[in-house]
Amino acid sequence: MATQKEAYDIAVIGGGNAALCAAMTAAEAGARVLILETAPKPYRGGNSRHTRNFRCMHGAPLGPLIEEYSEDEYLEDLLKVTGGKTDEHLARLAIRTSEECLPWMEEHGVRFQPSLSGALSLARTNAFFMGGGKSLVNAYYRTAAALGVDVLYEAAVTHLELNGDQIEWVDYTYEGQSHRITPKAVIVASGGFQADTDWLTRAWGEPAKNFLIRGTPYNRGVVLADLLDQGVESVGDPTQCHAVAIDGRAPKFDGGIVTRLDCVPFSIVVNKNAERFYDEGEDVWPKRYAIWGRLVAAQPDQVGYVIIDAKSLNLFMPSVFPPLKADTLEELAGMMDLPADKLKATVAEFNDACGDTSGFHPTELDGVTTSGLTPRKTNWARPISEPPFYGYSLRTGVTFTYLGLKVDDTAQCSTPSGKIKNLWAAGETMAGSILGQGYLAGFGMTIGTVFGRIAGREAAAYAN
Amino acid sequence: MQTDLIQEARRQAEICNACRYCEGYCSVFPSLHAERAFSDGDITQLANLCHNCRGCYYACQYTAPHEFDLNLPKALAEVRRDSWESFAWPQPLARRFHTHGGAIALALVIGFALLFWAIRAIGSSGGEGFYTVLSHNAMVAIFAPAFLLPLFSLAISLRRYWTEVGGKPIQMSDLIAAFRRAGKMQDLAAGHGEGCNFEDEDRFSQARRHIHQAIMYGFLLCFASTSVATIMHYGFGLHAPYGFWSLPKLFGISGGVLLTVGCGAMALLKQKSDRELGDPSAWGGDIGFILLLGFVGLSGLVLYAFGSTTLMPALLAIHLGSVLTFFLLTPYTKMAHGFYRLAALVRDAQRKRELSVVC
């Protein structure tokens, strides 16, 4: 085992937003900080690479944000998606602190821009990063380097030695060798375990093998598992993950934002037996894509097929892969490996159940519904009748897992017998403390930034 | 036009259109996001709107080793060069100089030789200053066609471009909008105004933008110098040589300094940039062109400095030879990009205007 060349006060495990916020804050407080990032440099930044905005409370127009967004309204939005499974004390802390984070982010190199086309509904609540999350990550690495933070890429942490109430050492591999360092304090910001398919399968069951992972392949939960094995307190449902319905042709990992499909409300969705299984028009898509992740997961082979016709093609954001296109439903069924007769029958039955479509309105709940059909389609129900017909496959795409390290309002970790005096956690790996279920756009970056800064501050205070 | 280059750019543009994270950086993305499908003309227009600032590359979550393998600055640079070659007239000349610095150097030597020959064969019939070496009428006889022929050639190319990208009748407001963007080089500044990602990976810097501005305004000052001198000569009977405090000299010297320093700095800056984020096959042609343009500036300054010594006739031949080469190659070298950029910005201004009418 190689010996330590330089003594660091703080080791930060992970290289995404939360890790960088912690590292910069600690370095500014005078600590010597080492970042151990398991990904190679081009993939640094974890899931932060794929993010694009930061949900931010504000009492008055702030940076790119218009009007105001109060603490109570923010909390209400959060409780709506978590169904009350939220630690209100930590949630309010994250929300309240978000306002001072935005100027801090700008000071540390992040640049914002007005809301992206296609996401205008978030203009008041979410500040968009110019260039997206990878540009934020790039800016933070630049700032961290200027503050003297050292970074090792492809440095995979294998073990944190917990002895009583403190972490004694950190083991990691780097350039083919094992290393051991003994920093005064450790900050874990290395995400969830969703990229470990075996773990996901143990948690969710066999269908998880067919899930796609929307983000980084490097969130394998190694450090999380290591700490949980040693009795560090956890939070969040270990069997649950946040999953959405995405384009079935997306890569296994790292497909990111472009694999989303916005066409479901204007479609019918069938399973591999060409049967419909849920109301496609229940609500606007941003409020339903997460439900569809679960719905598709429950279908045979964990796959769904979206069918639209020519009149709906231009009603949604362009998809990264072009849809399958056919002049007849039989032909489309052939391309998608669906039973053609059954698909024709399903479409015919659906078309017969459609009524007056004159009230059709693509961006509002228009109440254009089917009658006498199970399952019903309650909005945007127009016959699938105008060739060419278009098809997409849908699969379950996992965003993140909920199981994480339980922290208090100083981001500190604990065991059943009390606080671990030199271990803090930030970002996705502790987000389960706040997000019990569901997800609120831009809130992951809020948690990462707020608790990253807290962890950096607390760890530096301890180390100094 | 090479369909494989267009097709690769189209593949990438379709991924960009599903992502949109780069919308704030430059003119390319709002224009790209306005379409659902991209015709060859759309891709050509996007390619010529792109200033290769590279902000989108370093911000991109889908660059290699990701399987999507995005490198939009490179894809558009290749389409762009290909479009210039395809639209150029006459064709056989076009495909030489964009990619071959050696061809530019050879052309320069020929330019020198022509001028030495002209001085020897035609000479002077009196006059002052430079006209003692080569008469004013001889200079006009050489440089008027050398100036007008390339403009004629460019006019044909731009017409072809305009047809390809579906340009409409131009309004004054389109021109104003385009010249404003070009004058500030806003598309080399990123949406936040902090410059581009060029010499040091993802660090934003104004170096390239400011150097490019030095070159552009240096060139325009030199051009203004010649234009003013022409007006003084024909309009007011004021003949060269002019004193230091005359407009032709003030424009010429300040322009020459900007041009020389700018081109030298650009050639050095380019050495630090990643060639794989541009059109690697155009590297030699680009550097050759920058050095030629810088040499035009430098030889002009040297001629000014040593114009009253015995070196003057040789220096004059060298300077005028480089100017001749530069003019004649304008439609076939990187110099053409200025015209295409402006055309693309005019077209983009039209697109925005059409959009605001629709809304």
Side-chain angles (χ1 to χ4, degrees), chain A residues 83-257:
Chain A
K85 285 193 187 175
T86 292
D87 179 326
E88 186 172 331
H89 173 64
L90 293 184
R92 282 192 183 273
L93 173 64
I95 291 168
R96 254 197 317 273
T97 315
S98 67
E99 188 166 19
E100 67 178 58
C101 285
L102 192 138
W104 183 90
M105 293 163 78
E106 286 180 320
E107 283 160 26
H108 290 77
V110 178
R111 294 294 171 264
F112 293 99
Q113 65 161 82
S115 187
L116 293 172
S117 63
L120 297 175
S121 59
L122 298 173
R124 184 172 63 89
T125 55
N126 291 46
F128 282 72
F129 317 132
M130 184 169 290
K134 189 171 167 191
S135 73
L136 170 140
V137 166
N138 288 343
Y140 279 167
Y141 273 101
R142 291 246 166 219
T143 305
L147 290 168
V149 173
D150 287 338
V151 180
L152 292 182
Y153 298 107
E154 298 180 65
V157 174
T158 52
H159 177 60
L160 307 187
E161 178 69 15
L162 176 64
N163 183 9
D165 64 350
Q166 72 169 333
I167 299 293
E168 298 273 2
W169 68 73
V170 177
D171 288 337
Y172 65 94
T173 59
Y174 179 67
E175 293 183 338
Q177 273 195 303
S178 298
H179 297 263
R180 175 165 294 173
I181 52 171
T182 53
K184 293 178 193 160
V186 178
I187 298 168
V188 178
S190 49
F193 66 85
Q194 64 275 14
D196 181 342
T197 308
D198 291 339
W199 189 345
L200 208 59
T201 307
R202 284 198 303 279
W204 183 291
E206 280 299 301
K209 287 186 178 158
N210 284 330
F211 293 175
L212 305 173
I213 310 303
R214 299 172 70 203
T216 176
Y218 296 95
N219 278 8
R220 300 190 199 105
V222 176
V223 176
L224 178 62
D226 177 61
L227 290 173
L228 296 182
D229 284 347
Q230 296 178 76
V232 177
E233 286 204 289
S234 73
V235 68
D237 186 339
T239 68
Q240 293 302 309
C241 57
H242 182 262
V244 308
I246 59 172
D247 195 314
R249 296 162 293 180
K252 176 74 182 171
F253 293 103
D254 244 342
I257 187 79

Side-chain angles (χ1 to χ4, degrees), chain B residues 134-209:
Chain B
L134 190 62
S135 71
H136 183 264
N137 287 346
M139 285 197 200
V140 172
I142 294 168
F143 282 94
F147 177 66
L148 294 174
L149 276 176
L151 283 187
F152 179 67
S153 166
L154 276 170
I156 291 174
S157 304
L158 289 177
R159 224 190 133 68
R160 290 173 174 171
Y161 176 79
W162 202 245
T163 308
E164 174 73 15
V165 302
K168 306 272 164 47
I170 297 168
Q171 293 190 6
M172 186 51 95
S173 63
D174 304 334
L175 291 175
I176 291 171
F179 275 98
R180 185 172 290 151
R181 276 198 91 82
K184 295 184 197 161
M185 287 195 183
Q186 242 163 312
D187 286 291
L188 279 180
H192 46 53
E194 292 174 15
C196 48
N197 295 159
F198 196 66
E199 67 276 20
D200 181 18
E201 296 189 347
D202 58 61
R203 185 168 66 84
F204 286 91
S205 143
Q206 300 284 8
R208 175 143 162 259
R209 179 169 174 234

Side-chain angles (χ1 to χ4, degrees), chain A residues 32-83:
Chain A
R32 287 160 302 168
V33 182
L34 173 68
I35 288 179
L36 297 168
E37 162 64 305
T38 187
K41 191 179 172 194
Y43 280 131
R44 69 183 181 185
N47 281 340
S48 305
R49 295 171 62 240
H50 293 294
T51 64
R52 60 178 182 178
N53 58 49
F54 171 80
R55 188 172 284 255
C56 187
M57 175 188 118
H58 51 107
L62 176 67
L65 298 166
I66 54 174
E67 300 168 21
E68 64 161 339
Y69 189 40
S70 71
E71 180 180 333
D72 287 339
E73 187 187 355
Y74 195 149
L75 184 68
E76 208 175 292
D77 287 343
L78 179 64
L79 294 176
K80 260 185 246 165
V81 298
T82 62

Side-chain angles (χ1 to χ4, degrees), chain A residues 41-44 49-52 111 113 115-117 129-135 138 142 251 254-258 260 313-314 316-321, chain B residues 11 14-25 33 35-36 57-68 190-192 194 200-204:
Chain A
K41 191 179 172 194
Y43 280 131
R44 69 183 181 185
R49 295 171 62 240
H50 293 294
T51 64
R52 60 178 182 178
R111 294 294 171 264
Q113 65 161 82
S115 187
L116 293 172
S117 63
F129 317 132
M130 184 169 290
K134 189 171 167 191
S135 73
N138 288 343
R142 291 246 166 219
D254 244 342
I257 187 79
V258 300
R260 69 165 172 13
L313 185 65
N314 292 330
F316 53 93
M317 285 270 288
S319 55
V320 66
F321 305 111
Chain B
R11 178 190 76 83
E14 283 169 355
I15 296 173
C16 294
N17 208 13
C19 173
R20 309 200 167 191
Y21 283 15
C22 292
E23 198 166 75
Y25 276 136
H33 298 157
E35 308 289 337
R36 276 193 91 87
Y57 177 84
Y58 288 105
C60 181
Q61 52 191 313
Y62 300 116
T63 52
H66 195 284
E67 64 191 83
F68 288 171
H192 46 53
E194 292 174 15
D200 181 18
E201 296 189 347
D202 58 61
R203 185 168 66 84
F204 286 91

Side-chain angles (χ1 to χ4, degrees), chain B:
Chain B
M1 303 273 285
Q2 294 181 39
T3 50
D4 53 335
L5 296 180
I6 297 246
Q7 187 47 38
E8 172 59 12
R10 181 181 289 126
R11 178 190 76 83
Q12 298 196 23
E14 283 169 355
I15 296 173
C16 294
N17 208 13
C19 173
R20 309 200 167 191
Y21 283 15
C22 292
E23 198 166 75
Y25 276 136
C26 69
S27 298
V28 170
F29 294 96
S31 179
L32 191 162
H33 298 157
E35 308 289 337
R36 276 193 91 87
F38 303 99
S39 67
D40 290 4
D42 294 334
I43 296 292
T44 303
Q45 164 68 5
L46 293 174
N48 280 281
L49 260 187
C50 170
H51 288 52
N52 198 242
C53 81
R54 306 172 174 204
C56 65
Y57 177 84
Y58 288 105
C60 181
Q61 52 191 313
Y62 300 116
T63 52
H66 195 284
E67 64 191 83
F68 288 171
D69 192 18
L70 249 66
N71 186 344
L72 195 66
K74 179 180 183 178
L76 293 182
E78 291 182 332
V79 170
R80 191 159 61 236
R81 193 242 320 149
D82 184 50
S83 74
W84 302 338
E85 291 179 354
S86 304
F87 298 139
W89 178 89
Q91 267 288 313
L93 276 172
R95 295 192 186 269
R96 237 349 54 227
F97 299 102
H98 280 299
T99 48
H100 293 83
I104 294 177
L106 183 66
L108 182 60
V109 173
I110 295 171
F112 293 157
L114 277 173
L115 260 294
F116 275 110
W117 174 82
I119 287 168
R120 185 168 286 246
I122 304 169
S124 173
S125 52
E128 282 183 79
F130 302 145
Y131 302 142
T132 59
V133 176
L134 190 62
S135 71
H136 183 264
N137 287 346
M139 285 197 200
V140 172
I142 294 168
F143 282 94
F147 177 66
L148 294 174
L149 276 176
L151 283 187
F152 179 67
S153 166
L154 276 170
I156 291 174
S157 304
L158 289 177
R159 224 190 133 68
R160 290 173 174 171
Y161 176 79
W162 202 245
T163 308
E164 174 73 15
V165 302
K168 306 272 164 47
I170 297 168
Q171 293 190 6
M172 186 51 95
S173 63
D174 304 334
L175 291 175
I176 291 171
F179 275 98
R180 185 172 290 151
R181 276 198 91 82
K184 295 184 197 161
M185 287 195 183
Q186 242 163 312
D187 286 291
L188 279 180
H192 46 53
E194 292 174 15
C196 48
N197 295 159
F198 196 66
E199 67 276 20
D200 181 18
E201 296 189 347
D202 58 61
R203 185 168 66 84
F204 286 91
S205 143
Q206 300 284 8
R208 175 143 162 259
R209 179 169 174 234
H210 288 161
I211 290 169
H212 195 307
Q213 272 170 327
I215 296 173
M216 182 176 80
Y217 286 109
F219 174 79
L220 291 175
L221 281 168
C222 291
F223 189 71
S225 162
T226 309
S227 305
V228 167
T230 306
I231 293 167
M232 287 166 69
H233 184 96
Y234 290 109
F236 300 94
L238 296 166
H239 296 180
Y242 304 108
F244 181 84
W245 293 108
S246 66
L247 280 178
K249 276 287 189 299
L250 289 175
F251 285 159
I253 292 167
S254 58
V257 169
L258 280 174
L259 196 58
T260 307
V261 172
C263 287
M266 186 63 96
L268 289 175
L269 196 72
K270 268 188 179 273
Q271 308 297 327
K272 294 188 201 165
S273 72
D274 185 345
R275 293 184 196 188
E276 285 302 316
L277 302 193
D279 177 0
S281 64
W283 177 263
D286 278 3
I287 293 289
F289 168 73
I290 292 167
L291 294 178
L292 170 64
L293 188 55
F295 187 80
V296 169
L298 180 67
S299 59
L301 292 175
V302 172
L303 179 62
Y304 172 68
F306 298 98
S308 49
T309 70
T310 53
L311 291 172
M312 188 272 277
L315 292 174
L316 182 68
I318 286 171
H319 178 61
L320 292 183
S322 67
V323 173
L324 180 70
T325 306
F326 166 77
F327 273 156
L328 289 174
L329 293 190
T330 286
Y332 318 112
T333 54
K334 188 67 183 275
M335 189 63 193
H337 85 281
F339 298 89
Y340 282 99
R341 282 271 192 283
L342 213 48
L345 288 168
V346 171
R347 175 69 196 118
D348 199 49
Q350 286 187 339
R351 184 190 63 80
K352 288 183 202 151
R353 178 163 54 76
E354 287 160 8
L355 202 67
S356 61
V357 171
V358 174
C359 298

Side-chain angles (χ1 to χ4, degrees), chain A residues 3 121 238 322 328 404 453:
Chain A
T3 50
S121 59
T328 63
R453 291 173 65 212

